[in-house]
Amino acid sequence: FVGDQTFSTVMRVSLEKVQGHYQGACFPFLEGFGSGSLALQFAPDGSLFVGGTARGWGSRGGKEYSLDRGRWTGKVPFEVLEMRAKPDGFELTFTEPVDAKPAGDPASYSLPTYTYVYQSGYGSPEVDHVECRIERAEVSEDRRTVRLHVDRLHRGHGHELHLDALRSATGLPLLHPVGYYTLNYIPESE
């Protein structure tokens, strides 16, 4: 889990090692904290404390500083659990079985990519926007995994996956229908 200072959120991270380097995806997790989320600590009871500060920059939370606590309800939401890079796309694992019809339809997904100008000055706009085309979506027999075959991956780009049309086998929408994979290395084989 990582905090986002500007948006006062906590993101969930799924890492993997590709060609000896860590990379992976992040997904929205919790939002609505009082200030910019910087320090995260799990308590012995499993609750999450989030320490925040605006640090003079401001944050969506609106307070100069905050200490918030998040408690798990005990229910696992329908989410993308992991997003793994493949030589020609991504493999998604879900927290529960998906409805195979929308999950197997390439039109259920969109995958814009972009990168940033790495420079000595602070910040950069998004540049080099490319829309990847999902050519095929294969749903596993247990319906917990979907393999997306993409026309072309873009090394050094963030791949922003949108899954708004997906539903669980019981009809639930994804709690967070977006994931962001930073693809610095493309796997050479399965």
Side-chain angles (χ1 to χ4, degrees), residues 138-153:
E138 299 171 351
V139 180
S140 67
E141 196 171 311
D142 67 1
R143 295 184 295 154
R144 284 189 169 272
T145 303
V146 176
R147 176 73 159 79
L148 300 177
H149 297 269
V150 178
D151 64 341
R152 183 172 171 232
L153 296 174

Side-chain angles (χ1 to χ4, degrees), residues 20-104:
H21 302 274
Y22 282 104
Q23 64 183 30
C26 67
F27 306 91
F29 184 66
L30 294 173
E31 60 184 21
F33 296 103
S35 193
S37 305
L38 289 181
L40 309 175
Q41 180 67 48
F42 280 100
D45 69 356
S47 60
L48 176 65
F49 283 94
V50 180
T53 179
R55 298 184 67 195
W57 298 340
S59 66
R60 292 261 169 103
K63 295 181 181 176
E64 187 175 333
Y65 52 87
S66 67
L67 179 62
D68 295 289
R69 184 178 195 173
R71 290 193 174 116
W72 185 43
T73 64
K75 294 181 180 180
V76 176
F78 178 49
E79 291 274 36
V80 177
L81 180 63
E82 294 180 325
M83 182 177 180
R84 303 270 182 217
K86 297 295 178 187
D88 66 342
F90 295 98
E91 182 177 86
L92 310 173
T93 304
F94 294 87
T95 57
E96 60 184 79
V98 297
D99 179 339
K101 186 172 182 178

Side-chain angles (χ1 to χ4, degrees), residues 75-188:
K75 294 181 180 180
V76 176
F78 178 49
E79 291 274 36
V80 177
L81 180 63
E82 294 180 325
M83 182 177 180
R84 303 270 182 217
K86 297 295 178 187
D88 66 342
F90 295 98
E91 182 177 86
L92 310 173
T93 304
F94 294 87
T95 57
E96 60 184 79
V98 297
D99 179 339
K101 186 172 182 178
D105 182 358
S108 295
Y109 308 89
S110 68
L111 189 62
T113 74
Y114 49 85
T115 191
Y116 298 95
V117 177
Y118 294 97
Q119 58 192 354
S120 61
Y122 182 77
S124 166
E126 293 174 1
V127 296
D128 196 21
H129 282 262
V130 179
E131 183 74 32
C132 294
R133 186 170 51 85
I134 308 295
E135 296 179 325
R136 212 166 64 250
E138 299 171 351
V139 180
S140 67
E141 196 171 311
D142 67 1
R143 295 184 295 154
R144 284 189 169 272
T145 303
V146 176
R147 176 73 159 79
L148 300 177
H149 297 269
V150 178
D151 64 341
R152 183 172 171 232
L153 296 174
H154 298 272
R155 186 176 172 174
H157 280 60
H159 289 66
E160 185 176 309
L161 180 64
H162 295 268
L163 315 101
D164 299 294
L166 265 58
R167 297 289 180 266
S168 71
T170 60
L172 294 173
L174 284 160
L175 182 59
H176 298 104
V178 64
Y180 307 88
Y181 193 105
T182 302
L183 189 74
N184 291 317
Y185 298 90
I186 298 172
E188 294 172 352

